[in-house]
Amino acid sequence: MAPGDLQRDLLGVLGADGLVAEHSQRRTYESDGLTAYRAIPALVALPKSTEEVAGVVRICADHGVPLVPRGAGTGLSGGALPHPEGVLIVLSRMRRIIDVDVVNQRVTVEPGVTNAAISSAVAPHNLYYAPDPSSQIVCSIGGNVAENSGGAHCLKYGFTTHHVLASELVLPDGEIIDVGGPTLDPPGYDLRGVLVGSEGTLGVVTKVTLRLLRRPEAVRTLVADFADPATAGEAVSAIIAAGIVPAAVEMMDNLAIQACESDAAAGFDTEAGAALIVELDGPSAECDASFAQTVMLCQESGATAIRLADDPQERALVWKGRKAAFAAMGRLAPDYLVQDGVIPRTRLGECLARIAEMAAEADLRVANVFHAGDGNLHPLVLFDSSRPGETERAEALSTGIAELCVAFGGSLSGEHGIGADKACSMPKMFGADDLDVMNRVRAAFDPEGRCNPDKVLPTPRLCGEKPGRYRPHPLEAAGIIERL
Amino acid sequence: MAPGDLQRDLLGVLGADGLVAEHSQRRTYESDGLTAYRAIPALVALPKSTEEVAGVVRICADHGVPLVPRGAGTGLSGGALPHPEGVLIVLSRMRRIIDVDVVNQRVTVEPGVTNAAISSAVAPHNLYYAPDPSSQIVCSIGGNVAENSGGAHCLKYGFTTHHVLASELVLPDGEIIDVGGPTLDPPGYDLRGVLVGSEGTLGVVTKVTLRLLRRPEAVRTLVADFADPATAGEAVSAIIAAGIVPAAVEMMDNLAIQACESDAAAGFDTEAGAALIVELDGPSAECDASFAQTVMLCQESGATAIRLADDPQERALVWKGRKAAFAAMGRLAPDYLVQDGVIPRTRLGECLARIAEMAAEADLRVANVFHAGDGNLHPLVLFDSSRPGETERAEALSTGIAELCVAFGGSLSGEHGIGADKACSMPKMFGADDLDVMNRVRAAFDPEGRCNPDKVLPTPRLCGEKPGRYRPHPLEAAGIIERL
């Protein structure tokens, strides 16, 4: 239970409707999209302005309590897992679109605005915001900044960090600073860059200025079926090698196709061993020429069927099917874990084969649906938590897959972040000296370590004496957080 | 004079041919491309490997002396200005191309490799390295990383930071760390991003992995003449507003045209009030369609003449003329200062008019040659240092122009960096809290403040003023970090 005077002080800043103190209401914030970990925050703040955020953060500093920022709570790595002794700062009420600068193609918004709402707001000007996580209808831009979110179209257009020009940030001591600037290359250190992807550990983002793109003149989309993912992977390599930069290249294996099709009825062939969704966009002249070449390359690589989805409604249905993939897994198994690793595109077939072997060894099924163009895998480990031991096997397999990606010369995480989930795997990818510098950068913003503690970077407290081995979350071992 | 045992220790690591101790030889390093500031380094180290760099840096740490990294010395903001009591670490001997990964389109090089040498090395694979500073034939990639260098084609392809995937870095205590990774979105803080553009203040880059692009299928170039820069600016706006993203859009005013033409004889019309160089590249189909539209938009905006430079030799000559602009100013005046500021593209005409007024008030001429597409101005203040008081008037005018850019909602620097030159102008652009965080990030890498001191960030010692709101950092109060 929160100390009475912390609550009283917060009430003074937020008013009664801006503070959630009642246990059952706080419980609704116990996890984000990674439901394996749960913790009930001591108090939940719902600020309406930068000044209120700064007030809340200063009160946390005065009382020496942790704070955890939270957007829409759709994150998949537990980045917004509350701290049981801390204040959860929920930014969902800050959803104003502050300024649309059409000529300079920029928009300034509050952090609670959803990703899709930004593109909707600027659509009348033929502009849009490029990064498109699958959760874009509900996820907030503040969360996107925290996690440096990606999406299907990041192959061509880059990640969140390539689209954030500037941000207002409340530091853990309550000071308000501006990072970045109106130009792409402001002087001084790139604090904007270090903030994007810092997963809420450096402060609370209260305003963000984003780059907007013009809607492409033309969009062309195809779905190509293949005998298996390895063959589909060869088609991906052939397209890239031809110098074509598709807007998106997504791959689904047979299990993923089955799940998506049963959910969205988008016309995927549930008999196909693998399917590619390839989308090109740009000026019509370029798009048409490159699209014809892409169709040919898919055929030459052994596509068994190619369906063009040029009708806007058909294209929307294809993407709806693809973006519903995670949710659709419920049709195949009672439980699943989403993994998020990156491998060099050239080692796709090899890596998928090894994942299949690992799945067979663990006696579990793994569905694969992923951003093939940039080698960002999302293996979904299917399991049934009601069967004794299966949850543990699934977790071990999922962690093994992430570390396999590192061993293949890739990365622990593509776009979902490290959060609470993978902090203890960071030493698989970074040396002690590297992590030491990251800790020092963190301390430059947050010397007291109160801002989203126990996330991103491994600590002896968090990971035990041997960081790098998966083990239960220590807050769980201490009985502070509950486990499904 | 350097202490004898510092010199002896360095000799032990570098050997006699790796250390420059003789005064007249050290003097050749007294400035970089910004010759207004000069200092003779205590010693000059010429390491041949990462191990030698780490050895030199450790010895500097042991002796408590400053170190300044230097690439080719072409920088225009005094970033490589030596420290008179410190060791200048010149990376020009480290020029190995370590690995070319054609399939994944990456190259790993040592910092002394020149920008142009990278593209030459990968040209047989139809690849190139995109950022192209005008000094690309001589400038080093290490210097490009330090300054986050731009170039004419950064409008479409982005700055150095968008092309650096990873780097090896020797920290100021001699430890060697890796930042970044093979993927575009590695987990943890984006230390890669904070390193690029840090102007040698965070350590010494000893290896860098870069993204390569495929050479575009087609390139189309035109030179369009206009009555004045404001009219040419309207053409730039019209092109961008049409959704065309040219590879480059460069503008020269009449004075710049005269200088370039007398130097390169590239066929620029010396009577024109302003000229635009517009280059498109990409797939032929797109390029041809967009190019026709660009020609039309130039005509509609009032171009008095349009010359197509489609022949590769003619195109090369146009670029040679443009890129020689700074050097060619010697034909117009005995001395000149290059400024580097950014303004919103939409305020181009307004800003150029104000610069002309300021020049008239100072009784000096200003030539303008710049990256018009991204609003990155390079006003060249012409003067004659032999006339009493003219140097001071020129410096005041140049500084005034940089601060005008900030007042217009732009930036102090586009691509040349802050270095020694503009550190004291940083408070015009950043608040005390912003600069405080940058200082703390610097201290996270360099707690003793020995790495390229007195560059980038203003200090009371450097700028002779007491920042009013400075509060000691808790780590400083605890004696863990020292005040820079």
Side-chain angles (χ1 to χ4, degrees):
Chain A
M1 192 59 204
D5 46 351
L6 171 64
Q7 187 170 336
R8 191 196 57 218
D9 290 353
L10 290 174
L11 268 176
V13 167
L14 296 164
D17 71 334
L19 190 70
V20 178
E22 204 271 311
H23 181 272
S24 66
Q25 285 185 293
R26 279 186 281 128
R27 183 157 194 173
T28 60
Y29 298 98
E30 68 183 354
S31 76
D32 59 11
L34 179 72
T35 54
Y37 300 126
R38 300 181 180 199
I40 299 176
L43 287 166
V44 178
L46 301 167
K48 291 184 291 295
S49 66
T50 299
E51 292 64 37
E52 287 191 7
V53 171
V56 168
V57 171
R58 264 195 304 275
I59 289 168
C60 289
D62 292 344
H63 289 266
V65 302
L67 59 97
V68 175
R70 175 184 160 116
T74 56
L76 292 166
S77 59
L81 178 71
H83 191 290
E85 289 150 22
V87 176
L88 187 73
I89 302 180
V90 178
L91 284 311
S92 55
R93 282 191 177 178
M94 291 179 62
R95 49 171 74 224
R96 281 189 310 141
I97 291 177
I98 298 167
D99 181 52
V100 178
D101 179 347
V102 174
V103 179
N104 290 305
Q105 298 183 201
R106 295 175 202 148
V107 63
T108 300
V109 300
E110 290 186 332
V113 175
T114 64
N115 175 294
I118 297 166
S119 289
S120 298
V122 300
H125 309 291
N126 203 30
L127 298 171
Y128 77 113
Y129 174 67
D132 61 335
S134 293
S135 56
Q136 67 188 127
I137 296 168
V138 284
C139 67
S140 72
I141 192 68
N144 290 182
V145 170
E147 300 298 336
N148 189 16
S149 300
H153 291 76
C154 291
L155 172 62
K156 179 169 181 179
Y157 293 108
F159 292 83
T160 302
T161 194
H162 302 116
H163 299 269
V164 173
L165 291 168
S167 172
E168 180 180 76
L169 177 72
V170 176
L171 292 173
D173 64 1
E175 279 182 7
I176 302 167
I177 67 167
D178 291 309
V179 301
T183 60
L184 273 177
D185 183 16
Y189 301 122
D190 184 13
L191 300 183
R192 180 209 59 76
V194 103
L195 177 64
V196 179
S198 63
E199 308 198 31
T201 62
L202 304 184
V204 185
V205 167
T206 46
K207 200 189 285 182
V208 57
T209 299
L210 304 164
R211 200 159 73 95
L212 299 172
L213 302 186
R214 298 199 151 259
R215 288 220 168 267
E217 187 187 359
V219 184
R220 306 290 308 270
T221 310
L222 65 78
V223 179
D225 296 336
F226 293 87
D228 51 56
T231 315
E234 285 164 21
V236 176
S237 294
I239 293 167
I240 304 284
I244 298 167
V245 183
V249 179
E250 301 285 299
M251 197 192 297
M252 299 183 286
D253 69 5
N254 177 265
L255 267 182
I257 294 169
Q258 287 183 41
C260 292
E261 184 59 18
S262 65
D263 192 80
F268 298 125
D269 180 354
T270 55
E271 302 290 310
L276 286 183
I277 303 172
V278 186
E279 187 160 284
L280 304 186
D281 66 15
S284 297
E286 171 198 4
C287 208
D288 290 344
S290 301
F291 194 72
Q293 198 183 354
T294 301
V295 169
M296 195 190 69
L297 290 166
C298 285
Q299 285 167 337
E300 287 176 0
S301 302
T304 54
I306 294 177
R307 180 162 65 95
L308 308 187
D310 277 342
D311 178 273
Q313 284 166 334
E314 201 179 355
R315 182 184 311 124
L317 194 58
V318 166
W319 282 112
K320 187 181 165 211
R322 161 61 188 91
K323 295 197 175 187
F326 295 173
M329 288 300 148
R331 295 176 177 262
L332 297 187
D335 302 288
Y336 68 91
L337 295 172
V338 182
Q339 192 43 272
D340 168 48
V342 183
I343 54 164
R345 198 166 48 215
T346 43
R347 302 190 71 181
L348 196 62
E350 196 183 344
C351 187
L352 291 176
R354 180 71 197 117
I355 290 173
E357 283 170 21
M358 290 164 73
E361 284 160 18
D363 194 21
L364 291 167
R365 290 183 301 167
V366 174
N368 285 291
V369 49
F370 55 94
H371 310 314
D374 42 16
N376 186 187
L377 305 183
H378 290 316
L380 294 133
V381 177
L382 310 182
F383 67 104
D384 181 348
S385 60
S386 70
R387 290 192 199 147
E390 204 160 301
T391 304
E392 292 71 19
R393 285 213 317 281
E395 284 176 349
L397 174 59
S398 186
T399 300
I401 291 171
E403 296 182 355
L404 175 75
C405 292
V406 176
F408 267 74
S411 170
L412 264 187
S413 166
E415 56 184 10
H416 297 174
I418 297 298
D421 195 32
K422 292 184 179 173
C424 297
S425 292
M426 286 285 275
K428 294 275 177 189
M429 190 160 169
F430 296 99
D433 290 342
D434 304 327
L435 293 172
D436 196 33
V437 175
M438 289 197 198
N439 268 310
R440 274 148 43 190
V441 169
R442 183 176 195 155
F445 287 80
D446 183 24
E448 296 170 1
R450 287 184 303 96
C451 199
N452 213 6
D454 300 326
K455 310 285 171 66
V456 186
L457 295 173
T459 62
R461 189 174 90 78
L462 194 67
C463 307
E465 290 175 0
K466 287 185 182 172
R469 278 198 57 212
Y470 183 84
R471 58 187 62 234
H473 196 280
L475 295 176
E476 180 196 339
I480 294 167
I481 64 173
E482 297 167 39
R483 180 129 192 147
L484 258 182
Chain B
M1 192 56 203
D5 46 355
L6 171 64
Q7 187 170 335
R8 191 195 56 218
D9 290 353
L10 290 174
L11 268 176
V13 165
L14 296 164
D17 71 333
L19 190 70
V20 179
E22 205 272 311
H23 182 271
S24 66
Q25 285 185 293
R26 282 185 281 128
R27 186 162 191 168
T28 60
Y29 298 98
E30 67 181 356
S31 76
D32 59 11
L34 178 72
T35 53
Y37 301 123
R38 299 180 184 200
I40 299 177
L43 286 167
V44 178
L46 301 167
K48 291 184 291 296
S49 65
T50 299
E51 290 65 36
E52 287 191 5
V53 172
V56 169
V57 171
R58 263 193 307 271
I59 290 167
C60 290
D62 292 345
H63 289 266
V65 301
L67 59 100
V68 176
R70 175 183 160 118
T74 54
L76 292 167
S77 59
L81 178 72
H83 191 289
E85 289 151 22
V87 177
L88 187 72
I89 302 179
V90 178
L91 284 310
S92 55
R93 282 191 179 180
M94 291 178 64
R95 49 172 71 225
R96 281 189 310 141
I97 292 177
I98 297 167
D99 181 53
V100 179
D101 179 346
V102 174
V103 178
N104 290 305
Q105 296 182 204
R106 294 175 202 149
V107 64
T108 300
V109 300
E110 289 186 333
V113 175
T114 63
N115 175 295
I118 297 166
S119 289
S120 299
V122 301
H125 309 290
N126 203 31
L127 298 172
Y128 77 112
Y129 174 68
D132 60 334
S134 294
S135 56
Q136 67 189 124
I137 295 167
V138 285
C139 67
S140 72
I141 191 69
N144 290 183
V145 170
E147 300 299 335
N148 189 16
S149 299
H153 291 76
C154 291
L155 171 62
K156 180 168 180 179
Y157 293 107
F159 292 84
T160 301
T161 194
H162 302 114
H163 298 270
V164 173
L165 291 168
S167 173
E168 181 180 74
L169 177 72
V170 177
L171 292 174
D173 63 0
E175 279 181 10
I176 302 167
I177 67 166
D178 291 309
V179 302
T183 61
L184 272 177
D185 182 17
Y189 300 122
D190 184 12
L191 299 184
R192 180 209 58 77
V194 101
L195 176 64
V196 179
S198 62
E199 308 196 33
T201 62
L202 305 183
V204 184
V205 167
T206 45
K207 201 188 285 182
V208 57
T209 299
L210 304 164
R211 199 158 73 94
L212 299 171
L213 301 186
R214 296 197 152 259
R215 288 220 168 266
E217 188 188 359
V219 184
R220 306 291 306 271
T221 309
L222 65 79
V223 180
D225 296 336
F226 293 86
D228 51 57
T231 316
E234 285 165 23
V236 175
S237 294
I239 293 166
I240 303 286
I244 296 167
V245 183
V249 180
E250 301 285 301
M251 196 191 296
M252 298 183 287
D253 69 5
N254 178 264
L255 267 181
I257 293 169
Q258 288 183 40
C260 292
E261 184 58 18
S262 64
D263 193 79
F268 297 125
D269 179 356
T270 56
E271 302 290 309
L276 286 183
I277 304 171
V278 186
E279 187 160 286
L280 304 187
D281 66 13
S284 297
E286 171 195 5
C287 209
D288 290 345
S290 300
F291 194 73
Q293 199 183 353
T294 301
V295 169
M296 194 190 71
L297 290 166
C298 285
Q299 286 167 336
E300 288 176 1
S301 302
T304 54
I306 296 176
R307 179 162 66 95
L308 309 189
D310 277 342
D311 177 275
Q313 283 168 334
E314 200 179 358
R315 183 184 311 124
L317 193 58
V318 166
W319 281 113
K320 187 182 165 210
R322 161 63 188 89
K323 293 197 175 188
F326 295 174
M329 288 299 147
R331 294 174 178 266
L332 296 187
D335 302 287
Y336 67 91
L337 295 172
V338 182
Q339 193 42 273
D340 167 47
V342 182
I343 54 163
R345 197 166 49 217
T346 43
R347 302 189 72 180
L348 197 60
E350 196 182 344
C351 188
L352 290 176
R354 181 71 196 116
I355 290 173
E357 283 170 20
M358 289 164 72
E361 285 160 19
D363 195 21
L364 291 167
R365 290 182 302 165
V366 174
N368 285 291
V369 49
F370 54 96
H371 309 313
D374 42 16
N376 185 185
L377 305 184
H378 291 315
L380 292 135
V381 177
L382 309 182
F383 67 103
D384 180 348
S385 59
S386 69
R387 291 190 200 150
E390 203 159 301
T391 304
E392 293 71 21
R393 286 212 316 282
E395 283 175 353
L397 174 58
S398 187
T399 301
I401 290 172
E403 296 182 358
L404 176 74
C405 291
V406 176
F408 268 74
S411 171
L412 265 186
S413 166
E415 55 185 11
H416 297 176
I418 297 299
D421 194 34
K422 293 183 180 175
C424 297
S425 291
M426 286 284 275
K428 296 275 179 188
M429 189 160 169
F430 296 98
D433 291 341
D434 304 327
L435 293 172
D436 196 33
V437 174
M438 287 196 200
N439 267 309
R440 274 145 46 187
V441 168
R442 183 175 195 155
F445 287 80
D446 182 24
E448 296 172 359
R450 286 184 303 97
C451 198
N452 214 5
D454 300 328
K455 310 285 170 69
V456 186
L457 295 174
T459 61
R461 191 176 88 75
L462 193 67
C463 306
E465 46 188 53
K466 287 185 183 175
R469 299 179 58 200
Y470 185 85
R471 287 193 294 119
H473 187 268
L475 292 177
E476 182 192 336
I480 296 168
I481 62 170
E482 288 175 43
R483 176 93 172 253
L484 287 175

